[in-house]
Amino acid sequence: MAIKKVIEHPAQVLSTPCAEVTEINDELITLLDDLYDTMVEYDGVGIAAPQIDIGLRVAIVELGEERDILEMVNPTVIETDGAEIDIEGCLSFPGLYGEVERPSYVKIEACDREGRVYELEAGGFDARAILHEIDHLDGVLFDSKIKRVITAEELEEMYANEEE
Ligand code: CO
């Protein structure tokens, strides 16, 4: 387990579609653990393998209030529904926040760290986080989807209002 350096935009590894994981082995386990350590260190809610310079279809996200960790190996989107605009950021774009439209519902299929296939349905911010990370695995970055950039002042104001 180790904290890795997060790769920042622009970088080739971030804009290149990742390769499928073909074998469940110790390297995959280490990768998942490194992703977790790095996400916690950088205070993110999700992180994808290319962000630590590994071009494999592996990503993790924190889900819900409990912040349960979802590990996704070779995830695919089976179904989406609805549309919602909300604010996103990305560890590879320090200081950039913007409004991004995403489906409000997603159903995915992926493998866990033991190679077991699972399906998962998610909505709201969980769906957004999952789709943001799967985009990373396709070499798609959130800045290309920003409809409106949110300034630091606006962001501060929003947090201030939330805390009231
Ligand atoms: Co990101």
Side-chain angles (χ1 to χ4, degrees), residues 31-51:
L31 170 57
L32 284 162
D33 292 341
D34 288 352
L35 283 170
Y36 178 76
D37 290 345
T38 307
M39 181 180 74
V40 169
E41 173 69 16
Y42 283 76
D43 200 22
V45 294
I47 189 169
Q51 292 181 280

Side-chain angles (χ1 to χ4, degrees), residues 45 61-70 122-127 129-130:
V45 294
V61 287
E62 283 187 349
L63 295 186
E65 296 278 301
E66 304 296 317
R67 306 182 81 183
D68 293 321
I69 301 298
L70 176 70
F125 203 83
D126 289 343
I130 288 168

